[in-house]
Amino acid sequence: MELTIGYLYPVEMNLYGDRGNILCLVQRCRWRGIDARILPIGIGEAWPAGLDLLFFGGGPDAQQKGVVGDLLEVKGDSLHRDLAEGLVALAICGGFQLLCRYYRPAEGPDLPGLGFFDAWTVHPGAKVPRCIGNVVVEWEGTTLVGFENHGGRTYLGPGCRPLGRVLRGHGNNGADKGEGAVQANVHASYLHGPLLPKNPRLADHLLRLALERRYGPVELPPLDDALESAAHQSALRRAGVR
Ligand code: GLN
């Protein structure tokens, strides 16, 4: 079996170790003898066909302003179509915000987003403290751990549901306890760190979705996640949840 993993704007959109999510997905494939190919997709490059999984990292306002034109004009409809047709994806923070309807940054005009997620983001301005710190989220009967640092507050419309419920931290907007979003096979989160190495169940969930979309039902052989679980437990203790 093989998977092609698209990495959108790897140079511009990569904060707080986000690239580690790609390394994690690839390594968890290789440990199972699954051939994983990374396809960087940069500014000016046409939207590729045949992706099995897409990763879109975070970035400061300035970087988001630098990629949004290309996102809408070059990737635009093809990317939106593939996501709507079930392409499995993970988008983190600034990437998440650009898949929503719009992002109102601290300064300057609104950034129109791809409009895939029925959601929008507003930065309340530089005087309001950013959402920074360790985060614990309840997800599918277990927990996700990570680190957040964002000014924008995201609000979900009826068309998408949160990825999880905040137990510690701010999450989407510090008010409604929602963290991230899920719509079709697209998963989004404000959690950096990177997210996946300390949350192997989510990593395998994304891999299983991508493999099943290409090959039908698959059994993912379990891996020895002792290190990953120890890192997860340590993050829970640090956040005061354990
Ligand atoms: N620039 C966005 C914000 O501040 C996203 C930041 C990020 O990706 N960490 O909200």
Side-chain angles (χ1 to χ4, degrees):
M1 292 195 291
E2 59 180 30
L3 282 179
T4 300
I5 303 176
Y7 189 1
L8 192 50
Y9 309 126
V11 176
E12 298 82 5
M13 300 294 284
N14 176 32
L15 268 186
Y16 312 117
D18 287 343
R19 194 172 72 86
N21 291 306
I22 288 272
L23 302 178
C24 175
L25 291 166
V26 168
Q27 191 54 56
R28 295 185 74 80
C29 282
R30 293 196 175 138
W31 280 329
R32 292 161 166 135
I34 299 164
D35 184 19
R37 185 171 71 97
I38 303 170
L39 184 62
I41 311 164
I43 290 180
E45 290 170 11
W47 182 251
L51 292 183
D52 299 298
L53 223 167
L54 176 70
F55 177 69
F56 190 3
D61 289 14
Q63 299 288 45
Q64 291 173 289
K65 290 172 184 168
V67 301
V68 74
D70 181 84
L71 181 74
L72 301 183
E73 285 137 38
V74 182
K75 301 353 180 212
D77 297 346
S78 312
L79 167 56
H80 197 294
R81 179 207 59 225
D82 283 4
L83 297 177
E85 288 175 0
L87 174 63
V88 180
L90 175 64
I92 301 293
C93 203
F96 169 26
Q97 295 168 343
L98 292 182
L99 294 184
C100 298
R101 288 176 10 217
Y102 65 86
Y103 172 40
R104 183 162 299 155
E107 283 147 26
D110 286 4
L111 300 185
L114 189 72
F116 174 78
F117 282 123
D118 176 19
W120 59 98
T121 304
V122 176
H123 192 305
K127 290 201 180 64
V128 179
R130 295 176 65 81
C131 302
I132 298 180
N134 294 320
V135 183
V136 179
V137 174
E138 189 177 50
W139 172 74
E140 309 265 324
T142 181
T143 47
L144 299 175
V145 295
F147 167 78
E148 64 182 338
N149 182 345
H150 55 106
R153 274 71 170 172
T154 298
Y155 303 90
L156 307 186
C160 67
R161 61 184 167 83
L163 175 70
R165 196 173 67 83
V166 173
L167 299 176
R168 287 288 185 287
H170 303 272
N172 289 348
N173 51 48
D176 63 15
K177 293 287 179 200
E179 203 295 306
V182 180
Q183 199 171 308
N185 286 329
V186 184
H187 300 68
S189 174
Y190 267 109
L191 273 57
H192 296 280
L195 171 64
L196 297 180
K198 290 195 286 293
N199 301 289
R201 279 192 53 188
L202 178 57
D204 284 354
H205 171 70
L206 296 170
L207 290 175
R208 191 177 294 105
L209 282 175
L211 287 165
E212 290 191 346
R213 195 160 168 259
R214 184 161 173 178
Y215 297 102
V218 295
E219 268 312 307
L220 264 188
L223 295 173
D224 170 5
D225 286 332
L227 266 179
E228 290 80 354
S229 307
H232 189 100
Q233 293 306 317
S234 148
L236 289 176
R237 281 194 299 278
R238 209 176 318 127
V241 173
R242 280 283 185 283

